[in-house]
Amino acid sequence: MTTLITHIGELTTNVGAVDDPCGTHRDAAVLIEDGRIAWVGAASDAPMADETVDAGGRAVIPGFVDSHSHLVFGGDRAAEFEARMAGQKYAAGGIRSTVAATRAASDDELRARLRGFLDEMRAQGTTTVEIKSGYGLSVVDEERLVRLAAEVTPEVTFLGAHVVPAEYADRSDEYVDLVVGPMLDACAPHAKWIDVFCETGAFMVPQSRRVLEAGIARGLAPRVHASQLGPGEGVRLAVELGAASVDHGTYLTDGDVTALAASDTVLTLLPGVEFSTRQPYPNARRLIDAGVTVALACDTNPGSSFTSSMAFCIAIAVRDMGMTPAEAVWAATAGGARALRRGDVGVIAPGARADLVLLAAPTRIHLAYRPGVPLVRSVWKDGVAVV
């Protein structure tokens, strides 16, 4: 079965020259075959296909690649959000309330909510998503979170080192012993990645190193939460250990930026967090101009960023973080793929997965130009129309 999407007014391939990293094609067409991109070119040169979709001059982009989310959890923290909007400062300790609600939820309850979030994301153009654990913080509960996540995505991250749970208060080193021992043993078979929240109020650098090195020894690849609440050494630890991505980066030193620019580690920015916590927005212009590879992700979670809209994050990145629309769309697609070390998503090129989004707009600029407007008209995942 072949499908031709033709009369695309603006096609973003993310395969292009330095002066156009989005690899923009005008009046273009894309041929899909067996779930993959088979051909890309001018609409006038398009081959025949079993099925033809007329884009009518609208824009097509790769499916969004959301490389940072926490989708398996119970409960709600709307009251905490309300208090924060009234002036209460955000602190990582609020995670513990979600831990209690998650532990109380059944597998079926968590599974149903997870699938609901995925449907919500897909309707907004997200076709690849990474999912972290981190709201169980016991061997049994962390194992079931990564197991449930593995039912819906290969991009599963074990984040047992999210915060220290209440029952280990003032015994953080003992909790790290649990994370790198029985918890890792239970979770590693279901996960691809190992992560740690390297931050004051969560885990210090020596503890974070223990967690990451233990995961690496078990075949998991490292990712790091760092510099969300203040400057620290987490970014340089991530670079030293070859992490695929270091996420947040709200407070970066010049040394952090230099280290990132000289590495293969992606800096994943999470604009929904700053929006929800009223922390300062990171300066993406500073990062891009320094040569840092930047991704955008939603960080969907009940405490600090309860959005699943990549378009919303793009709009914030353009308005408040110094990114151009093209840079923000690239970061939300190809950048997310780089953060997951994937070459088969985030691009529209022969051999790549046929994950595409047709916008109800003539150009990708509308994702920032028309914030809050549902612009996703159609979505293909592995060549199958799902929206």
Side-chain angles (χ1 to χ4, degrees), residues 17 24 35 47 55 78 100 115 140 155 174 183 191 210 239 259 271 307 337 342 345 358 387:
T24 309
R115 293 189 180 277
V140 170
E155 304 296 341
E174 290 182 36
M183 194 181 289
R210 278 193 69 199
V239 170
T307 181
R342 295 277 297 272
V345 296
L358 173 64
V387 175

mmCIF file of all heavy atoms in Angstrom, residues 17 24 35 47 55 78 100 115 140 155 174 183 191 210 239 259 271 307 337 342 345 358 387:
data_model
loop_
_atom_site.group_PDB
_atom_site.id
_atom_site.type_symbol
_atom_site.label_atom_id
_atom_site.label_comp_id
_atom_site.label_asym_id
_atom_site.label_seq_id
_atom_site.Cartn_x
_atom_site.Cartn_y
_atom_site.Cartn_z
ATOM 1 N N ALA A 17 20.440 22.464 4.190
ATOM 2 C CA ALA A 17 21.718 23.144 4.286
ATOM 3 C C ALA A 17 21.803 23.914 5.591
ATOM 4 O O ALA A 17 20.826 24.050 6.327
ATOM 5 C CB ALA A 17 21.882 24.082 3.094
ATOM 6 N N THR A 24 13.414 23.086 3.798
ATOM 7 C CA THR A 24 12.095 23.463 3.316
ATOM 8 C C THR A 24 11.933 23.210 1.820
ATOM 9 O O THR A 24 12.801 23.579 1.022
ATOM 10 C CB THR A 24 11.829 24.953 3.604
ATOM 11 O OG1 THR A 24 12.106 25.208 4.988
ATOM 12 C CG2 THR A 24 10.410 25.329 3.279
ATOM 13 N N GLY A 35 4.933 1.974 5.780
ATOM 14 C CA GLY A 35 5.233 2.664 7.021
ATOM 15 C C GLY A 35 6.449 3.563 7.000
ATOM 16 O O GLY A 35 6.795 4.164 8.024
ATOM 17 N N PRO A 47 5.370 10.340 -8.068
ATOM 18 C CA PRO A 47 4.984 9.058 -8.667
ATOM 19 C C PRO A 47 3.531 8.729 -8.365
ATOM 20 O O PRO A 47 2.882 9.358 -7.541
ATOM 21 C CB PRO A 47 5.928 8.065 -7.980
ATOM 22 C CG PRO A 47 6.217 8.696 -6.650
ATOM 23 C CD PRO A 47 6.224 10.170 -6.878
ATOM 24 N N ALA A 55 -2.967 17.932 -0.009
ATOM 25 C CA ALA A 55 -2.736 18.823 1.128
ATOM 26 C C ALA A 55 -3.293 20.220 0.892
ATOM 27 O O ALA A 55 -3.367 21.022 1.834
ATOM 28 C CB ALA A 55 -1.241 18.908 1.431
ATOM 29 N N ALA A 78 -3.667 20.403 41.090
ATOM 30 C CA ALA A 78 -4.221 21.696 40.699
ATOM 31 C C ALA A 78 -4.139 22.706 41.842
ATOM 32 O O ALA A 78 -3.888 23.896 41.619
ATOM 33 C CB ALA A 78 -5.669 21.527 40.235
ATOM 34 N N ALA A 100 2.349 9.410 46.423
ATOM 35 C CA ALA A 100 1.306 8.779 47.239
ATOM 36 C C ALA A 100 0.100 8.409 46.395
ATOM 37 O O ALA A 100 -0.467 7.304 46.526
ATOM 38 C CB ALA A 100 0.900 9.715 48.366
ATOM 39 N N ARG A 115 -2.935 5.986 28.459
ATOM 40 C CA ARG A 115 -3.423 5.939 27.078
ATOM 41 C C ARG A 115 -4.222 7.199 26.735
ATOM 42 O O ARG A 115 -4.194 7.669 25.590
ATOM 43 C CB ARG A 115 -4.237 4.665 26.848
ATOM 44 C CG ARG A 115 -3.366 3.407 26.924
ATOM 45 C CD ARG A 115 -4.085 2.139 26.481
ATOM 46 N NE ARG A 115 -3.212 0.986 26.581
ATOM 47 C CZ ARG A 115 -2.320 0.623 25.665
ATOM 48 N NH1 ARG A 115 -2.190 1.343 24.562
ATOM 49 N NH2 ARG A 115 -1.577 -0.452 25.837
ATOM 50 N N VAL A 140 8.575 -2.125 43.886
ATOM 51 C CA VAL A 140 7.346 -2.610 43.247
ATOM 52 C C VAL A 140 6.731 -1.552 42.347
ATOM 53 O O VAL A 140 6.342 -1.825 41.204
ATOM 54 C CB VAL A 140 6.335 -3.068 44.311
ATOM 55 C CG1 VAL A 140 4.973 -3.337 43.687
ATOM 56 C CG2 VAL A 140 6.847 -4.310 45.034
ATOM 57 N N GLU A 155 10.804 4.113 24.225
ATOM 58 C CA GLU A 155 11.631 5.143 24.876
ATOM 59 C C GLU A 155 11.214 5.273 26.338
ATOM 60 O O GLU A 155 10.544 6.220 26.746
ATOM 61 C CB GLU A 155 11.501 6.475 24.137
ATOM 62 C CG GLU A 155 11.840 6.417 22.657
ATOM 63 C CD GLU A 155 13.303 6.052 22.395
ATOM 64 O OE1 GLU A 155 14.128 6.186 23.320
ATOM 65 O OE2 GLU A 155 13.610 5.641 21.262
ATOM 66 N N GLU A 174 20.957 5.785 51.734
ATOM 67 C CA GLU A 174 20.323 4.461 51.792
ATOM 68 C C GLU A 174 19.327 4.301 50.649
ATOM 69 O O GLU A 174 19.196 3.207 50.070
ATOM 70 C CB GLU A 174 19.609 4.268 53.139
ATOM 71 C CG GLU A 174 20.540 4.114 54.322
ATOM 72 C CD GLU A 174 19.785 3.869 55.621
ATOM 73 O OE1 GLU A 174 18.750 3.174 55.577
ATOM 74 O OE2 GLU A 174 20.214 4.398 56.661
ATOM 75 N N MET A 183 16.038 -1.928 42.953
ATOM 76 C CA MET A 183 15.145 -1.196 42.069
ATOM 77 C C MET A 183 15.638 -1.248 40.625
ATOM 78 O O MET A 183 14.860 -1.475 39.686
ATOM 79 C CB MET A 183 14.994 0.250 42.545
ATOM 80 C CG MET A 183 13.832 0.992 41.904
ATOM 81 S SD MET A 183 13.706 2.709 42.492
ATOM 82 C CE MET A 183 13.132 2.456 44.184
ATOM 83 N N ALA A 191 13.427 -0.901 30.562
ATOM 84 C CA ALA A 191 13.858 0.466 30.265
ATOM 85 C C ALA A 191 14.991 0.502 29.253
ATOM 86 O O ALA A 191 15.726 -0.468 29.056
ATOM 87 C CB ALA A 191 14.281 1.178 31.552
ATOM 88 N N ARG A 210 26.621 7.852 41.047
ATOM 89 C CA ARG A 210 26.384 6.442 41.393
ATOM 90 C C ARG A 210 25.215 5.877 40.607
ATOM 91 O O ARG A 210 25.277 4.763 40.056
ATOM 92 C CB ARG A 210 26.078 6.300 42.888
ATOM 93 C CG ARG A 210 27.254 6.263 43.823
ATOM 94 C CD ARG A 210 26.794 5.797 45.206
ATOM 95 N NE ARG A 210 26.393 4.401 45.199
ATOM 96 C CZ ARG A 210 25.625 3.826 46.125
ATOM 97 N NH1 ARG A 210 25.165 4.562 47.133
ATOM 98 N NH2 ARG A 210 25.318 2.557 46.051
ATOM 99 N N VAL A 239 27.633 15.677 30.599
ATOM 100 C CA VAL A 239 28.568 15.703 29.468
ATOM 101 C C VAL A 239 29.693 14.698 29.683
ATOM 102 O O VAL A 239 30.082 13.960 28.766
ATOM 103 C CB VAL A 239 29.121 17.129 29.274
ATOM 104 C CG1 VAL A 239 30.282 17.128 28.278
ATOM 105 C CG2 VAL A 239 28.013 18.067 28.805
ATOM 106 N N ALA A 259 30.766 23.528 27.725
ATOM 107 C CA ALA A 259 30.858 22.064 27.769
ATOM 108 C C ALA A 259 29.831 21.424 26.849
ATOM 109 O O ALA A 259 30.133 20.459 26.134
ATOM 110 C CB ALA A 259 30.669 21.584 29.209
ATOM 111 N N PRO A 271 9.767 24.533 28.073
ATOM 112 C CA PRO A 271 9.144 25.842 28.318
ATOM 113 C C PRO A 271 7.911 25.796 29.202
ATOM 114 O O PRO A 271 7.610 26.769 29.907
ATOM 115 C CB PRO A 271 8.774 26.321 26.906
ATOM 116 C CG PRO A 271 9.649 25.540 25.984
ATOM 117 C CD PRO A 271 9.856 24.220 26.642
ATOM 118 N N THR A 307 1.109 20.268 30.594
ATOM 119 C CA THR A 307 0.689 20.472 29.209
ATOM 120 C C THR A 307 1.225 19.325 28.373
ATOM 121 O O THR A 307 2.285 18.770 28.675
ATOM 122 C CB THR A 307 1.195 21.801 28.638
ATOM 123 O OG1 THR A 307 0.727 21.950 27.277
ATOM 124 C CG2 THR A 307 2.717 21.877 28.626
ATOM 125 N N ALA A 337 14.508 14.081 18.393
ATOM 126 C CA ALA A 337 15.085 12.823 17.906
ATOM 127 C C ALA A 337 16.554 12.709 18.301
ATOM 128 O O ALA A 337 17.021 11.631 18.706
ATOM 129 C CB ALA A 337 14.926 12.737 16.389
ATOM 130 N N ARG A 342 17.879 9.075 17.913
ATOM 131 C CA ARG A 342 17.101 8.397 16.880
ATOM 132 C C ARG A 342 17.327 9.105 15.547
ATOM 133 O O ARG A 342 17.237 10.330 15.458
ATOM 134 C CB ARG A 342 15.601 8.438 17.223
ATOM 135 C CG ARG A 342 15.197 7.674 18.468
ATOM 136 C CD ARG A 342 14.990 6.194 18.187
ATOM 137 N NE ARG A 342 13.904 5.953 17.254
ATOM 138 C CZ ARG A 342 12.616 5.794 17.603
ATOM 139 N NH1 ARG A 342 12.261 5.890 18.880
ATOM 140 N NH2 ARG A 342 11.695 5.535 16.698
ATOM 141 N N VAL A 345 13.222 9.178 13.123
ATOM 142 C CA VAL A 345 12.076 10.044 13.388
ATOM 143 C C VAL A 345 12.563 11.490 13.407
ATOM 144 O O VAL A 345 13.763 11.754 13.446
ATOM 145 C CB VAL A 345 11.374 9.695 14.721
ATOM 146 C CG1 VAL A 345 10.775 8.308 14.665
ATOM 147 C CG2 VAL A 345 12.341 9.816 15.912
ATOM 148 N N LEU A 358 -0.016 17.134 9.066
ATOM 149 C CA LEU A 358 -0.559 18.122 8.138
ATOM 150 C C LEU A 358 -1.218 19.219 8.957
ATOM 151 O O LEU A 358 -2.111 18.952 9.767
ATOM 152 C CB LEU A 358 -1.581 17.474 7.197
ATOM 153 C CG LEU A 358 -2.367 18.408 6.277
ATOM 154 C CD1 LEU A 358 -1.437 19.106 5.290
ATOM 155 C CD2 LEU A 358 -3.446 17.629 5.527
ATOM 156 N N VAL A 387 -5.089 10.509 12.937
ATOM 157 C CA VAL A 387 -5.913 11.683 13.239
ATOM 158 C C VAL A 387 -6.454 12.217 11.921
ATOM 159 O O VAL A 387 -5.684 12.348 10.963
ATOM 160 C CB VAL A 387 -5.100 12.782 13.947
ATOM 161 C CG1 VAL A 387 -5.952 14.047 14.129
ATOM 162 C CG2 VAL A 387 -4.585 12.286 15.292
#
